[in-house]
Amino acid sequence: MSASSTDGLLSAVSNDLAAAVDTVGRSVVAIHARRRIPASGIVWQPGVVVAAHHTIQRDDDITVGLHDGTSVAATLAGRDPSTDLAVLRLAEGASAPPVAPATEPPRVGQLVLALGRPGGSVTASLGIVSALGGEWRTWQGGTIDRFVRLDLAVYDGFSGGPLVAAAGRVIGVNTSGLARATAVTVPASTVTRVVGQLLARGYVARGWLGIATQPVRLPPALQRSLGSEAETGLVVVNVEPDSPADRGAVQIGDILLALDGRPVSDPGDVLAALGGERIGQTIGLRVARGGRAESLSVTVGERPRARG
Amino acid sequence: MPGVDALLGAVPALERAVGEVAARLGRVTVHVRADGRSAGAGVVWLRDGLIVTNAHVAAGPGADVELPDGRELPARVIARDPRRDLAVLAIATSDLESALRADARGLRPGELLVALGHPFGVSYAAALGVVHRAPSAMRGPAGWLHADIRLAPGNSGGPLADSSGRVVGINAMIVSGLGVAVPTHVVERFVREALSDRGRGGGARAA
């Protein structure tokens, strides 16, 4: 029997997994910012920790437990509910190494570990990447660069912890705050983008028109008179006073057909066209009003912060 | 496709390795029956008929043990501790193969684990997982070995082993989806106490 050779293989795999946990685990911290058990966080840059927004239940009196057992004070640099990310700055002198983000995209079937530190010691679960998809939008309007579905068990306090490739690179940040009954991984590229904005501004700016819309079917007669083949438009059901849309003469009852030349058929299409980079730019709106197509132009504003 | 060639070598080898660990555990894992029905699993701790299982598996003064070779023998419960969820059974036989053991306090999170037991009555079923949290200084089950592994009723009393097939714990409960096992050092101490009590005739206490 070749017991010794295969026995060695299993131990080698086991050692690799434990080494990945040990390496990345030094950057995984405990976040004390809520009652009950602490949540997890990751040292993303020197002195900067990423956590899950929904686990930061107070803005002050936040402490962070490091891998060496020490506890340090942290201040909230900002939060972005739309991607469920928050950024903390550690008190000066805290020594914890930052993680190395993965450079290769994840693959379906890849062995991955979810790490957490809901207390003093690091915890691990093993699973695989079960499905991948393209960019998607959270229910609060945040843009996540890549959809990552896991076959992996997650436990209390793992939110804010990393998804780790067996080679020790961080694929992203896990959270239970973006989908019901399942864990979601926010990819490293999205985390880095949001961290940059939160450190610079304290929040993630989003474009804003100031309209509320809902989909409406365009009757064939209207399609003909508009010279349009689109079957659905977005009827404007509210225009906020003094909003960019109000200043651009958008009216309740207008049917929005296209933004910037791109057809829209879902309110999400409007959100998608309003990234922070559009603030201050003028965009063209094609609307149906009184059975005729009209072109309007609106200067995109910044979404008021109280709106989340 | 070089990727596929690599898989063809590594995956079957890994599967064989897990199978060998499961087979090794199978030679030291027993069925424990109480009142004629399967109550859980047990581990051959000493070759002269000493079996370790959970206290909640061996709830009465006696039990029946079915060995891997199919022999079924009456067992006497010589010690039982619900707090540590451990029981020691004695059966009248010798020359059993006993479990290799390792101290769970040396485990690191992420290390592979293999469990063997009879989940939902399926005899000698194996499960693969990893160390979620190694045993800590916390008292009681909170300080035991926590495993990210799929267990079910029937795994109770059975072995949880490292990647070399050495028993690091006795599966005892499922808490929030995690497998929780009594670490080997706690079992060793309990068995020592049980044997010294028996030397003084203390076994009658459990009976």
Side-chain angles (χ1 to χ4, degrees):
Chain A
M1 255 176 59
S2 58
S4 55
S5 65
T6 52
D7 182 51
L9 176 64
L10 201 58
S11 295
V13 171
S14 185
N15 281 328
D16 280 359
L17 294 173
V21 175
D22 183 55
T23 303
V24 181
R26 292 164 196 273
S27 309
V28 178
V29 299
I31 308 282
H32 298 266
R34 63 173 179 187
R35 291 185 192 163
R36 228 167 56 82
I37 63 165
S40 305
I42 309 167
V43 182
W44 203 258
Q45 312 173 6
V48 173
V49 166
V50 172
H53 149 73
H54 80 272
T55 67
I56 311 287
Q57 292 180 349
R58 54 180 186 254
D59 287 0
D60 305 300
D61 191 27
I62 299 171
T63 57
V64 170
L66 304 180
H67 69 99
D68 59 6
T70 58
S71 192
V72 297
T75 52
L76 184 64
R79 43 167 104 225
D80 176 28
S82 76
T83 52
D84 197 33
L85 294 174
V87 171
L88 308 172
R89 281 197 182 89
L90 296 179
E92 288 208 22
S95 69
V99 289
T103 48
E104 302 275 307
R107 290 167 292 135
V108 172
Q110 184 176 9
L111 276 182
V112 287
L113 294 150
L115 307 193
R117 194 183 289 278
S121 46
V122 70
T123 60
S125 353
L126 179 68
I128 63 168
V129 173
S130 68
L132 292 168
E135 182 181 289
W136 63 286
R137 188 161 291 277
T138 67
W139 62 278
Q140 283 179 305
T143 304
I144 310 285
D145 295 352
R146 184 191 297 278
F147 176 73
V148 182
R149 187 185 168 81
L150 305 177
D151 172 30
L152 183 147
V154 292
Y155 304 100
D156 286 353
F158 82 99
S159 278
L163 186 72
V164 179
R169 293 276 183 158
V170 170
I171 296 169
V173 178
N174 300 316
T175 176
S176 61
L178 288 176
R180 213 179 301 171
T182 181
V184 164
T185 302
V186 181
S189 59
T190 306
V191 177
T192 298
R193 170 164 53 80
V194 172
V195 167
Q197 295 178 24
L198 291 181
L199 286 177
R201 260 195 298 245
Y203 62 95
V204 172
R206 301 200 184 280
W208 184 57
L209 294 178
I211 55 173
T213 64
Q214 68 183 46
V216 61
R217 220 156 59 80
L218 302 175
L222 183 58
Q223 285 181 39
R224 273 193 301 277
S225 69
L226 296 172
S228 162
E229 290 185 0
E231 291 180 3
T232 311
L234 294 173
V235 63
V236 176
V237 295
N238 188 39
V239 178
E240 302 238 353
D242 208 31
S243 66
D246 190 21
R247 288 193 292 272
V250 178
Q251 295 174 9
I252 291 175
D254 284 349
I255 298 172
L256 186 58
L257 303 169
L259 262 180
D260 245 4
R262 279 195 206 142
V264 291
S265 58
D266 184 279
D269 297 340
V270 180
L271 277 177
L274 295 173
E277 73 284 357
R278 305 304 295 266
I279 296 168
Q281 295 179 4
T282 299
I283 59 171
L285 274 63
R286 192 159 172 269
V287 302
R289 182 183 291 171
R292 298 214 325 263
E294 292 200 23
S295 291
L296 307 171
S297 57
V298 173
T299 302
V300 178
E302 183 177 328
R303 186 174 206 181
R305 296 208 38 223
R307 301 172 62 86
Chain B
M1 290 174 68
V4 170
D5 289 342
L7 277 180
L8 288 176
V11 170
L14 198 65
E15 290 165 350
R16 271 200 307 279
V18 175
E20 280 168 16
V21 168
R24 194 174 304 172
L25 292 175
R27 297 197 296 271
V28 300
T29 303
V30 303
H31 267 288
V32 177
R33 294 202 172 86
D35 302 327
R37 56 177 191 83
S38 179
V43 178
V44 179
W45 211 256
L46 299 175
R47 61 200 297 268
D48 57 352
L50 201 85
I51 311 284
V52 168
T53 186
N54 288 141
H56 79 264
V57 169
D64 290 305
V65 167
E66 186 186 327
L67 296 171
D69 62 14
R71 280 184 291 160
E72 188 153 347
L73 299 168
R76 203 161 47 83
V77 178
I78 65 168
R80 197 170 167 276
D81 180 3
R83 196 176 55 82
R84 284 177 281 188
D85 201 2
L86 289 174
V88 174
L89 314 181
I91 55 175
T93 186
S94 57
D95 288 337
L96 296 174
E97 180 175 340
S98 63
L100 296 172
R101 272 105 66 177
D103 194 324
R105 289 171 293 188
L107 291 171
R108 297 160 294 161
E111 279 195 66
L112 289 175
L113 296 172
V114 177
L116 199 75
H118 320 301
F120 298 121
V122 178
S123 292
Y124 294 97
L128 181 69
V130 296
V131 175
H132 183 70
R133 188 161 55 72
S136 70
M138 275 187 278
R139 293 180 65 83
W144 291 353
L145 171 57
H146 286 57
D148 170 38
I149 196 166
R150 203 186 300 260
L151 300 182
N155 278 108
S156 285
L160 186 65
D162 67 9
S163 59
S164 303
R166 296 174 301 182
V167 174
V168 290
I170 299 292
N171 293 312
M173 59 180 92
I174 301 162
V175 177
S176 306
L178 284 166
V180 180
V182 190
T184 302
H185 71 278
V186 173
V187 183
E188 301 280 17
R189 193 186 313 138
F190 177 68
V191 170
R192 271 199 309 276
E193 290 166 8
L195 292 179
S196 66
D197 277 2
R198 183 164 66 160
R200 294 196 298 269
R205 190 181 59 184

Coordinates of all heavy atoms in Angstrom, one line a residue, chain A residues 1 3, chain B residues 19-30 42-45 51 66-69 71 95-100 116 124 159 164-165:
Chain A
M1 N 0.8 -1.2 0.0 CA 0.0 0.0 0.0 C 0.9 1.3 0.0 O 1.9 1.3 0.6 CB -0.9 0.0 1.2 CG -2.3 -0.3 0.9 SD -3.4 -0.4 2.4 CE -3.2 1.2 3.1
A3 N 0.4 4.0 1.5 CA -0.1 4.8 2.5 C 0.7 6.0 2.8 O 0.2 7.1 2.9 CB -0.3 4.0 3.8
Chain B
G19 N -9.6 8.6 1.8 CA -10.2 7.2 1.9 C -9.4 6.4 2.9 O -9.9 5.6 3.7
E20 N -8.0 6.6 2.8 CA -7.2 5.8 3.7 C -7.3 6.2 5.2 O -7.3 5.4 6.1 CB -5.7 5.9 3.3 CG -5.4 5.0 2.1 CD -4.1 5.3 1.5 OE1 -3.2 6.0 2.1 OE2 -3.8 4.8 0.4
V21 N -7.5 7.6 5.4 CA -7.7 8.0 6.7 C -9.0 7.5 7.3 O -9.1 7.0 8.4 CB -7.7 9.6 6.8 CG1 -8.2 10.1 8.1 CG2 -6.2 10.1 6.6
A22 N -10.1 7.5 6.4 CA -11.4 7.0 6.8 C -11.3 5.5 7.1 O -11.9 5.1 8.1 CB -12.4 7.3 5.7
A23 N -10.5 4.8 6.3 CA -10.4 3.3 6.6 C -9.7 3.1 7.9 O -10.0 2.2 8.6 CB -9.7 2.7 5.4
R24 N -8.6 3.9 8.1 CA -7.9 3.7 9.4 C -8.8 4.0 10.6 O -8.8 3.3 11.6 CB -6.7 4.7 9.4 CG -5.7 4.5 10.4 CD -4.5 5.4 10.2 NE -3.9 5.3 8.9 CZ -3.0 6.2 8.4 NH1 -2.5 7.1 9.2 NH2 -2.5 6.0 7.2
L25 N -9.6 5.1 10.5 CA -10.6 5.4 11.5 C -11.6 4.3 11.7 O -12.0 3.9 12.8 CB -11.3 6.7 11.3 CG -10.4 7.9 11.4 CD1 -11.2 9.2 11.0 CD2 -9.8 8.1 12.8
G26 N -12.0 3.7 10.5 CA -13.0 2.6 10.6 C -12.6 1.4 11.4 O -13.4 0.7 11.9
R27 N -11.3 1.2 11.5 CA -10.8 0.0 12.2 C -10.9 0.2 13.7 O -10.7 -0.7 14.5 CB -9.4 -0.3 11.8 CG -9.3 -0.7 10.3 CD -8.0 -1.5 10.0 NE -6.8 -0.6 10.2 CZ -6.3 0.1 9.2 NH1 -6.8 0.2 8.0 NH2 -5.2 0.9 9.5
V28 N -11.0 1.5 14.1 CA -11.1 1.8 15.6 C -12.4 2.4 16.0 O -12.5 2.9 17.1 CB -9.9 2.7 16.0 CG1 -8.6 2.0 15.7 CG2 -10.0 4.1 15.3
T29 N -13.4 2.4 15.1 CA -14.7 3.1 15.4 C -15.7 2.0 15.6 O -15.8 1.0 14.8 CB -15.1 4.0 14.3 OG1 -14.1 5.0 14.2 CG2 -16.4 4.7 14.6
V30 N -16.6 2.1 16.6 CA -17.6 1.1 16.9 C -19.0 1.7 16.8 O -19.1 2.9 16.8 CB -17.4 0.5 18.3 CG1 -16.0 -0.2 18.4 CG2 -17.6 1.5 19.4
G42 N -18.4 5.1 18.9 CA -17.4 5.1 20.0 C -16.0 4.8 19.3 O -15.9 4.5 18.2
V43 N -15.0 5.1 20.2 CA -13.6 4.9 19.7 C -12.9 3.9 20.6 O -13.0 4.0 21.8 CB -12.9 6.2 19.7 CG1 -11.4 6.1 19.2 CG2 -13.6 7.3 18.8
V44 N -12.2 2.9 20.0 CA -11.4 2.0 20.8 C -10.2 2.8 21.3 O -9.3 3.2 20.5 CB -10.9 0.8 19.9 CG1 -10.1 -0.2 20.8 CG2 -12.1 0.0 19.4
W45 N -10.1 3.0 22.6 CA -9.1 3.8 23.2 C -7.9 3.0 23.6 O -6.8 3.3 23.5 CB -9.7 4.6 24.4 CG -9.0 5.9 24.6 CD1 -8.1 6.2 25.5 CD2 -9.2 7.1 23.8 NE1 -7.7 7.6 25.4 CE2 -8.4 8.1 24.3 CE3 -10.0 7.4 22.6 CZ2 -8.3 9.4 23.8 CZ3 -9.9 8.7 22.1 CH2 -9.1 9.6 22.7
I51 N -13.5 1.4 25.5 CA -14.1 2.2 24.4 C -14.5 3.6 25.0 O -15.1 3.6 26.1 CB -15.4 1.6 23.9 CG1 -15.2 0.1 23.6 CG2 -16.0 2.3 22.8 CD1 -14.4 -0.2 22.3
E66 N -20.9 -2.8 18.9 CA -20.7 -3.6 17.7 C -19.3 -3.2 17.1 O -19.1 -2.0 16.8 CB -21.8 -3.4 16.7 CG -21.5 -4.4 15.5 CD -22.5 -4.1 14.3 OE1 -23.7 -3.8 14.6 OE2 -22.1 -4.3 13.2
L67 N -18.4 -4.2 17.1 CA -17.0 -3.9 16.6 C -17.0 -3.8 15.1 O -18.0 -4.3 14.4 CB -16.1 -5.0 17.1 CG -16.0 -5.1 18.6 CD1 -15.2 -6.3 19.1 CD2 -15.3 -3.8 19.2
P68 N -15.9 -3.2 14.5 CA -15.9 -3.1 13.1 C -15.9 -4.5 12.4 O -16.4 -4.6 11.2 CB -14.5 -2.5 12.8 CG -14.2 -1.8 14.1 CD -14.8 -2.5 15.2
D69 N -15.5 -5.6 13.1 CA -15.6 -6.9 12.5 C -16.9 -7.6 12.6 O -17.1 -8.7 12.2 CB -14.5 -7.8 13.1 CG -14.7 -8.1 14.6 OD1 -15.8 -7.8 15.1 OD2 -13.7 -8.6 15.2
R71 N -18.7 -8.3 15.4 CA -19.0 -8.9 16.7 C -19.8 -7.9 17.5 O -19.4 -6.7 17.5 CB -17.7 -9.3 17.4 CG -17.1 -10.6 17.0 CD -15.9 -10.9 17.9 NE -14.8 -9.9 17.6 CZ -13.8 -9.7 18.5 NH1 -13.8 -10.4 19.6 NH2 -12.8 -8.9 18.2
D95 N -6.8 -7.5 22.3 CA -6.2 -7.5 21.0 C -7.0 -6.7 20.0 O -7.0 -7.0 18.8 CB -6.0 -8.9 20.5 CG -4.9 -9.6 21.2 OD1 -4.0 -8.9 21.8 OD2 -4.9 -10.8 21.3
L96 N -7.7 -5.6 20.4 CA -8.3 -4.7 19.5 C -7.3 -3.8 18.9 O -6.2 -3.5 19.6 CB -9.4 -3.9 20.2 CG -10.6 -4.7 20.7 CD1 -11.5 -3.8 21.5 CD2 -11.4 -5.4 19.6
E97 N -7.5 -3.2 17.8 CA -6.7 -2.1 17.3 C -7.2 -0.8 18.0 O -8.4 -0.5 17.9 CB -6.8 -2.0 15.8 CG -5.9 -0.9 15.2 CD -5.8 -0.8 13.7 OE1 -6.2 -1.9 13.1 OE2 -5.5 0.2 13.2
S98 N -6.3 -0.1 18.6 CA -6.7 1.1 19.3 C -6.3 2.4 18.5 O -5.5 2.3 17.6 CB -6.1 1.2 20.7 OG -4.7 1.3 20.6
A99 N -7.0 3.5 18.8 CA -6.8 4.7 18.0 C -5.5 5.3 18.2 O -5.0 5.4 19.4 CB -8.0 5.7 18.3
L100 N -4.9 5.8 17.1 CA -3.7 6.7 17.3 C -4.3 8.1 17.7 O -5.3 8.5 17.2 CB -3.0 6.8 16.0 CG -2.3 5.6 15.4 CD1 -1.8 5.9 14.0 CD2 -1.2 5.1 16.3
L116 N -15.6 10.3 11.4 CA -16.2 9.1 11.0 C -17.3 8.8 12.0 O -17.1 9.1 13.2 CB -15.2 7.9 11.0 CG -15.7 6.7 10.2 CD1 -15.6 7.0 8.7 CD2 -14.9 5.5 10.5
Y124 N -20.5 4.0 9.4 CA -19.2 4.3 8.9 C -19.1 5.3 7.8 O -18.6 5.0 6.7 CB -18.4 3.0 8.6 CG -18.2 2.2 9.8 CD1 -19.0 1.1 10.2 CD2 -17.1 2.5 10.7 CE1 -18.8 0.4 11.3 CE2 -16.9 1.7 11.9 CZ -17.8 0.7 12.2 OH -17.6 0.0 13.3
P159 N -14.9 9.5 16.2 CA -13.6 10.2 16.1 C -13.6 11.4 15.1 O -14.3 11.3 14.1 CB -12.7 9.1 15.6 CG -13.5 8.2 14.7 CD -14.9 8.2 15.4
S164 N -3.4 13.0 9.3 CA -2.6 11.7 9.4 C -3.5 10.6 10.0 O -3.0 9.5 10.2 CB -1.4 11.9 10.2 OG -0.6 12.9 9.7
G165 N -4.8 10.9 10.2 CA -5.6 9.9 10.8 C -5.5 9.7 12.3 O -6.0 8.7 12.8

